[in-house]
Amino acid sequence: MAIYGYARVSTEDQDLTLQVETLKAAGATKVLSETANGTKREGRTKLQIILDFVDAGDVLMVTRIDRLARSVKDLQDIVYELKAKGVILKATEQPVDTGTAAGKCFLDMLGVFAEFETNLRKERQLEGIAAAKARGVYKGRLPSIDAGAVRKLAGQGIGGTEIARQLNISRASVYRLLEAAAGASRLRQCPLRPGKQICGVM
């Protein structure tokens, strides 16, 4: 029998050290860790390696069940896969042990609560965005292209292709920004009174 540990965090600014040390202290002889979103299986290569490698009689250990999955369906799929292989799932900080009836029951309950928490968080985010929009303070995502940098390079006589290469953006984006800037410049000039601001604007 071998005990494998799996540690996961969602973002780069989170630390995996505590999870890894806890799993090793609990008896895990091999611990794999990764930074990945827990709401889906795609991209979680280390988890997939463990699931492919474990065999009958082995134990997969996590600190908490939400390190393994954040949705009931995903959790059920993983547990079914482990059960088919004869592998036991355990959590160091929760009474989860699929080798016992009580442990299986608690696991199901945790899966429901984990998904409920995720859905609540999404709902709060949407409510916050709606409230910000109602107050007129929601600006959405910040632009990913630095329009000022595009204009500066163009002002130095650099062509659109080279600007796109330097800023790692598409040429279409470069030309769209330059055309918008040129259009805005034309609008600021009154066609009836050259050198003046837009007609009707003091």
Side-chain angles (χ1 to χ4, degrees), residues 16 19 26 37 45 48 67 77-78 86 90-91 100 105 117 148 155 162 174 178 186 192-193:
L16 284 159
Q19 287 186 56
N37 192 309
T45 55
Q48 193 57 53
R67 299 301 88 199
D77 289 344
I78 293 173
K90 291 185 178 182
T100 68
C105 179
E117 180 187 356
E162 179 61 17
V174 172
L178 293 178
R186 288 193 296 269
L192 300 179
R193 302 174 63 189

PDB file of all heavy atoms in Angstrom, residues 16 19 26 37 45 48 67 77-78 86 90-91 100 105 117 148 155 162 174 178 186 192-193:
ATOM      1  N   LEU A  16       1.672  26.701  -1.144  1.00  0.00           N
ATOM      2  CA  LEU A  16       1.396  25.268  -1.065  1.00  0.00           C
ATOM      3  C   LEU A  16       2.146  24.588   0.080  1.00  0.00           C
ATOM      4  O   LEU A  16       1.863  23.434   0.406  1.00  0.00           O
ATOM      5  CB  LEU A  16       1.796  24.583  -2.381  1.00  0.00           C
ATOM      6  CG  LEU A  16       0.857  24.773  -3.575  1.00  0.00           C
ATOM      7  CD1 LEU A  16       1.603  24.495  -4.868  1.00  0.00           C
ATOM      8  CD2 LEU A  16      -0.342  23.853  -3.451  1.00  0.00           C
ATOM      9  N   GLN A  19       0.187  22.782   3.038  1.00  0.00           N
ATOM     10  CA  GLN A  19      -0.504  21.568   2.598  1.00  0.00           C
ATOM     11  C   GLN A  19       0.480  20.417   2.412  1.00  0.00           C
ATOM     12  O   GLN A  19       0.235  19.290   2.866  1.00  0.00           O
ATOM     13  CB  GLN A  19      -1.231  21.824   1.271  1.00  0.00           C
ATOM     14  CG  GLN A  19      -2.475  22.678   1.369  1.00  0.00           C
ATOM     15  CD  GLN A  19      -3.207  22.756   0.037  1.00  0.00           C
ATOM     16  OE1 GLN A  19      -3.575  21.738  -0.545  1.00  0.00           O
ATOM     17  NE2 GLN A  19      -3.412  23.971  -0.454  1.00  0.00           N
ATOM     18  N   ALA A  26       1.314  13.356   7.707  1.00  0.00           N
ATOM     19  CA  ALA A  26       0.239  12.366   7.867  1.00  0.00           C
ATOM     20  C   ALA A  26       0.591  11.026   7.237  1.00  0.00           C
ATOM     21  O   ALA A  26      -0.207  10.085   7.307  1.00  0.00           O
ATOM     22  CB  ALA A  26      -1.044  12.903   7.247  1.00  0.00           C
ATOM     23  N   ASN A  37      -7.334  25.983 -10.990  1.00  0.00           N
ATOM     24  CA  ASN A  37      -8.716  26.184 -10.549  1.00  0.00           C
ATOM     25  C   ASN A  37      -9.329  24.841 -10.189  1.00  0.00           C
ATOM     26  O   ASN A  37      -9.189  23.870 -10.924  1.00  0.00           O
ATOM     27  CB  ASN A  37      -9.514  26.849 -11.674  1.00  0.00           C
ATOM     28  CG  ASN A  37     -10.867  27.348 -11.205  1.00  0.00           C
ATOM     29  OD1 ASN A  37     -11.632  26.616 -10.592  1.00  0.00           O
ATOM     30  ND2 ASN A  37     -11.168  28.591 -11.503  1.00  0.00           N
ATOM     31  N   THR A  45      -2.952  18.705 -14.286  1.00  0.00           N
ATOM     32  CA  THR A  45      -2.131  17.588 -14.745  1.00  0.00           C
ATOM     33  C   THR A  45      -1.611  16.715 -13.611  1.00  0.00           C
ATOM     34  O   THR A  45      -1.520  15.494 -13.755  1.00  0.00           O
ATOM     35  CB  THR A  45      -0.946  18.113 -15.573  1.00  0.00           C
ATOM     36  OG1 THR A  45      -0.218  19.076 -14.786  1.00  0.00           O
ATOM     37  CG2 THR A  45      -1.432  18.797 -16.839  1.00  0.00           C
ATOM     38  N   GLN A  48      -4.258  14.362 -12.411  1.00  0.00           N
ATOM     39  CA  GLN A  48      -4.469  13.283 -13.372  1.00  0.00           C
ATOM     40  C   GLN A  48      -3.359  12.241 -13.299  1.00  0.00           C
ATOM     41  O   GLN A  48      -3.606  11.045 -13.443  1.00  0.00           O
ATOM     42  CB  GLN A  48      -4.555  13.846 -14.797  1.00  0.00           C
ATOM     43  CG  GLN A  48      -5.077  12.834 -15.814  1.00  0.00           C
ATOM     44  CD  GLN A  48      -6.440  12.289 -15.432  1.00  0.00           C
ATOM     45  OE1 GLN A  48      -7.374  13.040 -15.176  1.00  0.00           O
ATOM     46  NE2 GLN A  48      -6.557  10.962 -15.386  1.00  0.00           N
ATOM     47  N   ARG A  67      -9.720  20.833  -1.873  1.00  0.00           N
ATOM     48  CA  ARG A  67      -8.462  20.847  -2.626  1.00  0.00           C
ATOM     49  C   ARG A  67      -8.560  19.889  -3.808  1.00  0.00           C
ATOM     50  O   ARG A  67      -7.849  20.047  -4.801  1.00  0.00           O
ATOM     51  CB  ARG A  67      -7.282  20.424  -1.743  1.00  0.00           C
ATOM     52  CG  ARG A  67      -7.018  21.290  -0.545  1.00  0.00           C
ATOM     53  CD  ARG A  67      -6.725  22.734  -0.910  1.00  0.00           C
ATOM     54  NE  ARG A  67      -7.928  23.540  -1.003  1.00  0.00           N
ATOM     55  CZ  ARG A  67      -8.019  24.700  -1.626  1.00  0.00           C
ATOM     56  NH1 ARG A  67      -6.980  25.168  -2.288  1.00  0.00           N
ATOM     57  NH2 ARG A  67      -9.135  25.387  -1.647  1.00  0.00           N
ATOM     58  N   ASP A  77     -17.180  12.062  -9.654  1.00  0.00           N
ATOM     59  CA  ASP A  77     -16.427  11.398 -10.724  1.00  0.00           C
ATOM     60  C   ASP A  77     -15.088  10.891 -10.217  1.00  0.00           C
ATOM     61  O   ASP A  77     -14.671   9.765 -10.527  1.00  0.00           O
ATOM     62  CB  ASP A  77     -16.201  12.367 -11.896  1.00  0.00           C
ATOM     63  CG  ASP A  77     -17.472  12.666 -12.672  1.00  0.00           C
ATOM     64  OD1 ASP A  77     -18.450  11.909 -12.506  1.00  0.00           O
ATOM     65  OD2 ASP A  77     -17.480  13.655 -13.426  1.00  0.00           O
ATOM     66  N   ILE A  78     -14.404  11.728  -9.420  1.00  0.00           N
ATOM     67  CA  ILE A  78     -13.095  11.330  -8.881  1.00  0.00           C
ATOM     68  C   ILE A  78     -13.243  10.166  -7.908  1.00  0.00           C
ATOM     69  O   ILE A  78     -12.479   9.190  -7.954  1.00  0.00           O
ATOM     70  CB  ILE A  78     -12.419  12.527  -8.184  1.00  0.00           C
ATOM     71  CG1 ILE A  78     -12.061  13.600  -9.219  1.00  0.00           C
ATOM     72  CG2 ILE A  78     -11.160  12.076  -7.432  1.00  0.00           C
ATOM     73  CD1 ILE A  78     -11.537  14.885  -8.611  1.00  0.00           C
ATOM     74  N   GLY A  86     -10.055   0.588  -6.411  1.00  0.00           N
ATOM     75  CA  GLY A  86      -9.810   0.064  -5.072  1.00  0.00           C
ATOM     76  C   GLY A  86      -8.929   0.982  -4.245  1.00  0.00           C
ATOM     77  O   GLY A  86      -8.202   0.530  -3.349  1.00  0.00           O
ATOM     78  N   LYS A  90      -8.729   9.966   1.616  1.00  0.00           N
ATOM     79  CA  LYS A  90      -8.740  10.478   2.988  1.00  0.00           C
ATOM     80  C   LYS A  90      -8.410  11.969   2.998  1.00  0.00           C
ATOM     81  O   LYS A  90      -7.752  12.470   2.085  1.00  0.00           O
ATOM     82  CB  LYS A  90      -7.715   9.739   3.852  1.00  0.00           C
ATOM     83  CG  LYS A  90      -8.065   8.281   4.148  1.00  0.00           C
ATOM     84  CD  LYS A  90      -7.056   7.667   5.108  1.00  0.00           C
ATOM     85  CE  LYS A  90      -7.418   6.236   5.443  1.00  0.00           C
ATOM     86  NZ  LYS A  90      -6.469   5.623   6.426  1.00  0.00           N
ATOM     87  N   ALA A  91      -8.877  12.666   4.034  1.00  0.00           N
ATOM     88  CA  ALA A  91      -8.556  14.079   4.238  1.00  0.00           C
ATOM     89  C   ALA A  91      -8.002  14.249   5.643  1.00  0.00           C
ATOM     90  O   ALA A  91      -8.558  13.705   6.599  1.00  0.00           O
ATOM     91  CB  ALA A  91      -9.791  14.949   4.035  1.00  0.00           C
ATOM     92  N   THR A 100     -14.693   3.773   5.076  1.00  0.00           N
ATOM     93  CA  THR A 100     -15.734   3.579   6.088  1.00  0.00           C
ATOM     94  C   THR A 100     -17.044   4.184   5.608  1.00  0.00           C
ATOM     95  O   THR A 100     -17.059   5.122   4.810  1.00  0.00           O
ATOM     96  CB  THR A 100     -15.345   4.241   7.414  1.00  0.00           C
ATOM     97  OG1 THR A 100     -15.336   5.670   7.239  1.00  0.00           O
ATOM     98  CG2 THR A 100     -13.961   3.795   7.866  1.00  0.00           C
ATOM     99  N   CYS A 105     -20.287   9.093   3.828  1.00  0.00           N
ATOM    100  CA  CYS A 105     -21.423   9.979   4.041  1.00  0.00           C
ATOM    101  C   CYS A 105     -20.956  11.424   4.228  1.00  0.00           C
ATOM    102  O   CYS A 105     -21.515  12.359   3.640  1.00  0.00           O
ATOM    103  CB  CYS A 105     -22.218   9.518   5.260  1.00  0.00           C
ATOM    104  SG  CYS A 105     -23.649  10.556   5.646  1.00  0.00           S
ATOM    105  N   GLU A 117     -21.026  26.804  -1.674  1.00  0.00           N
ATOM    106  CA  GLU A 117     -20.163  27.950  -1.389  1.00  0.00           C
ATOM    107  C   GLU A 117     -19.696  28.613  -2.684  1.00  0.00           C
ATOM    108  O   GLU A 117     -19.675  29.842  -2.801  1.00  0.00           O
ATOM    109  CB  GLU A 117     -18.954  27.499  -0.569  1.00  0.00           C
ATOM    110  CG  GLU A 117     -17.994  28.641  -0.225  1.00  0.00           C
ATOM    111  CD  GLU A 117     -16.730  28.138   0.436  1.00  0.00           C
ATOM    112  OE1 GLU A 117     -16.630  26.928   0.690  1.00  0.00           O
ATOM    113  OE2 GLU A 117     -15.841  28.966   0.676  1.00  0.00           O
ATOM    114  N   GLY A 148      -1.683  54.396 -25.316  1.00  0.00           N
ATOM    115  CA  GLY A 148      -0.655  55.423 -25.273  1.00  0.00           C
ATOM    116  C   GLY A 148       0.655  54.945 -25.868  1.00  0.00           C
ATOM    117  O   GLY A 148       1.332  55.694 -26.584  1.00  0.00           O
ATOM    118  N   GLY A 155       4.153  57.720 -33.341  1.00  0.00           N
ATOM    119  CA  GLY A 155       4.700  59.070 -33.434  1.00  0.00           C
ATOM    120  C   GLY A 155       6.180  59.075 -33.730  1.00  0.00           C
ATOM    121  O   GLY A 155       6.725  60.072 -34.224  1.00  0.00           O
ATOM    122  N   GLU A 162       5.612  46.512 -36.840  1.00  0.00           N
ATOM    123  CA  GLU A 162       6.644  46.536 -35.807  1.00  0.00           C
ATOM    124  C   GLU A 162       6.036  46.887 -34.443  1.00  0.00           C
ATOM    125  O   GLU A 162       6.438  46.348 -33.406  1.00  0.00           O
ATOM    126  CB  GLU A 162       7.734  47.539 -36.171  1.00  0.00           C
ATOM    127  CG  GLU A 162       8.849  47.666 -35.135  1.00  0.00           C
ATOM    128  CD  GLU A 162       9.599  46.358 -34.900  1.00  0.00           C
ATOM    129  OE1 GLU A 162       9.494  45.437 -35.752  1.00  0.00           O
ATOM    130  OE2 GLU A 162      10.272  46.254 -33.858  1.00  0.00           O
ATOM    131  N   VAL A 174      -3.630  47.537 -33.575  1.00  0.00           N
ATOM    132  CA  VAL A 174      -2.808  48.747 -33.751  1.00  0.00           C
ATOM    133  C   VAL A 174      -3.505  49.733 -34.669  1.00  0.00           C
ATOM    134  O   VAL A 174      -3.668  50.916 -34.346  1.00  0.00           O
ATOM    135  CB  VAL A 174      -1.422  48.387 -34.327  1.00  0.00           C
ATOM    136  CG1 VAL A 174      -0.647  49.660 -34.684  1.00  0.00           C
ATOM    137  CG2 VAL A 174      -0.633  47.553 -33.329  1.00  0.00           C
ATOM    138  N   LEU A 178      -5.042  53.532 -33.929  1.00  0.00           N
ATOM    139  CA  LEU A 178      -4.521  54.693 -34.649  1.00  0.00           C
ATOM    140  C   LEU A 178      -5.625  55.408 -35.418  1.00  0.00           C
ATOM    141  O   LEU A 178      -5.674  56.638 -35.471  1.00  0.00           O
ATOM    142  CB  LEU A 178      -3.401  54.262 -35.600  1.00  0.00           C
ATOM    143  CG  LEU A 178      -2.123  53.746 -34.921  1.00  0.00           C
ATOM    144  CD1 LEU A 178      -1.106  53.304 -35.960  1.00  0.00           C
ATOM    145  CD2 LEU A 178      -1.526  54.816 -34.009  1.00  0.00           C
ATOM    146  N   ARG A 186      -9.570  64.721 -35.742  1.00  0.00           N
ATOM    147  CA  ARG A 186     -10.348  65.454 -36.745  1.00  0.00           C
ATOM    148  C   ARG A 186     -11.586  66.079 -36.127  1.00  0.00           C
ATOM    149  O   ARG A 186     -11.984  67.186 -36.468  1.00  0.00           O
ATOM    150  CB  ARG A 186     -10.738  64.516 -37.888  1.00  0.00           C
ATOM    151  CG  ARG A 186      -9.588  64.127 -38.795  1.00  0.00           C
ATOM    152  CD  ARG A 186     -10.110  63.463 -40.058  1.00  0.00           C
ATOM    153  NE  ARG A 186     -10.789  62.216 -39.778  1.00  0.00           N
ATOM    154  CZ  ARG A 186     -10.185  61.033 -39.759  1.00  0.00           C
ATOM    155  NH1 ARG A 186      -8.884  60.959 -39.972  1.00  0.00           N
ATOM    156  NH2 ARG A 186     -10.860  59.941 -39.505  1.00  0.00           N
ATOM    157  N   LEU A 192     -15.637  74.539 -40.021  1.00  0.00           N
ATOM    158  CA  LEU A 192     -16.017  75.894 -40.434  1.00  0.00           C
ATOM    159  C   LEU A 192     -15.031  76.932 -39.917  1.00  0.00           C
ATOM    160  O   LEU A 192     -14.929  78.026 -40.476  1.00  0.00           O
ATOM    161  CB  LEU A 192     -17.429  76.223 -39.923  1.00  0.00           C
ATOM    162  CG  LEU A 192     -18.540  75.290 -40.433  1.00  0.00           C
ATOM    163  CD1 LEU A 192     -19.869  75.707 -39.833  1.00  0.00           C
ATOM    164  CD2 LEU A 192     -18.596  75.294 -41.952  1.00  0.00           C
ATOM    165  N   ARG A 193     -14.327  76.604 -38.849  1.00  0.00           N
ATOM    166  CA  ARG A 193     -13.386  77.556 -38.243  1.00  0.00           C
ATOM    167  C   ARG A 193     -12.090  76.826 -37.904  1.00  0.00           C
ATOM    168  O   ARG A 193     -11.864  76.415 -36.778  1.00  0.00           O
ATOM    169  CB  ARG A 193     -13.989  78.189 -36.989  1.00  0.00           C
ATOM    170  CG  ARG A 193     -15.294  78.920 -37.245  1.00  0.00           C
ATOM    171  CD  ARG A 193     -15.919  79.393 -35.947  1.00  0.00           C
ATOM    172  NE  ARG A 193     -15.053  80.371 -35.275  1.00  0.00           N
ATOM    173  CZ  ARG A 193     -15.295  80.793 -34.033  1.00  0.00           C
ATOM    174  NH1 ARG A 193     -16.310  80.318 -33.349  1.00  0.00           N
ATOM    175  NH2 ARG A 193     -14.492  81.686 -33.483  1.00  0.00           N
TER     176      ARG A 193
END
